[in-house]
Amino acid sequence: PFLIDYFFTVWDPLSSTLFPATSSLVREVLEHVDGKLENPQKLLSTIMDRFHNVVNAHSKSKTVPEGNTPKSHPQWRFCELRWWKGLKIIKMLTLWRQHLLDGVIRELSMSHMADNLVPFLLKEMRTKPIDTKKVILLTTKLNKVLPEDWKGDVQYMTLYKGIKDYWKLCRENGVSAKDLALIKALVK
């Protein structure tokens, strides 16, 4: 009960500095319970509940700036900061794959990506002025966090198609060959 209380009230699921100790603690508890812990799955489900709460809280904020808001408007900066936090949520979720069911982690991560990260990226790609460096940076960071075997999911395909369309838009607008090559590399 103490551990479950700790995970539900004190533990910060987005703390990368706490992850090694927390992960080690969970591993030790699960390896050494020897029937003493009535329901070890309750501990794991509490961890998932916390991640669901984090995702739900994060999903309540705006994902993209409204309408034709210029990129210089503070809404863009707010949505970009929110995007980075969303990326951290996915990164921390993927770290828990060793303890929690991969399918559950995958479903929550990909759903979160589709609802909270992809819309900002697509809006960034479609709004002028074209900022290829930002799109390349954001997409590269997202690609590094996602496990390779997840990149065939339907949610990822929306981003994949958006990047292909972005490459065409950039080519039509005279973006440098170097940047076009970097954008094309994002969809391989």
Side-chain angles (χ1 to χ4, degrees):
F2 172 76
L3 281 176
I4 292 170
D5 186 50
Y6 165 77
F7 279 107
F8 203 74
T9 57
V10 178
W11 173 61
D12 177 9
L14 299 184
S15 173
S16 50
T17 54
L18 283 178
F19 176 75
T22 306
S23 173
S24 178
L25 174 66
V26 168
R27 184 175 47 256
E28 284 183 39
V29 166
L30 295 176
E31 287 174 358
H32 297 98
V33 289
D34 296 328
K36 295 174 191 164
L37 188 61
E38 280 184 36
N39 188 358
Q41 292 306 316
K42 181 140 173 92
L43 174 64
L44 298 178
S45 96
T46 300
I47 293 169
M48 276 311 298
D49 287 347
R50 280 302 299 274
F51 274 112
H52 278 286
N53 290 344
V54 167
V55 167
N56 289 338
H58 188 256
S59 298
K60 290 179 182 175
S61 301
K62 278 185 191 179
T63 16
V64 295
E66 295 173 354
N68 294 324
T69 307
K71 285 189 176 181
S72 58
H73 194 279
Q75 273 188 26
W76 275 93
R77 182 69 182 140
F78 171 80
C79 290
E80 184 181 347
L81 290 172
R82 190 180 169 289
W83 187 92
W84 285 106
K85 183 176 181 182
L87 183 68
K88 184 162 187 174
I89 292 169
I90 293 173
K91 178 183 176 187
M92 296 311 296
L93 269 166
T94 59
L95 291 175
W96 282 96
R97 289 173 71 198
Q98 59 189 319
H99 300 299
L100 303 167
L101 292 174
D102 186 61
V104 175
I105 296 286
R106 182 179 189 155
E107 184 180 321
L108 183 58
S109 298
M110 296 306 283
S111 161
H112 180 60
M113 180 198 75
D115 295 343
N116 295 288
L117 278 77
V118 171
F120 178 77
L121 261 172
L122 294 177
K123 179 105 176 183
E124 176 67 44
M125 290 176 193
R126 295 176 184 138
T127 306
K128 293 190 177 186
I130 292 174
D131 188 350
T132 56
K133 296 201 182 340
K134 182 183 283 183
V135 169
I136 291 167
L137 172 70
L138 297 177
T139 308
T140 301
K141 293 290 186 182
L142 180 57
N143 278 335
K144 283 182 181 178
V145 167
L146 293 175
E148 283 301 316
D149 59 320
W150 293 8
K151 293 180 182 172
D153 286 16
V154 172
Q155 296 97 329
Y156 187 79
M157 289 291 117
T158 303
L159 176 60
Y160 180 87
K161 184 184 177 317
I163 295 167
K164 288 178 83 168
D165 292 344
Y166 183 65
W167 182 84
K168 290 175 192 171
L169 176 73
C170 289
R171 188 182 64 195
E172 291 166 3
N173 283 281
V175 169
S176 74
K178 178 184 169 193
D179 283 348
L180 285 173
L182 289 171
I183 294 165
K184 196 168 198 169
L186 295 171
V187 292
K188 287 189 179 182

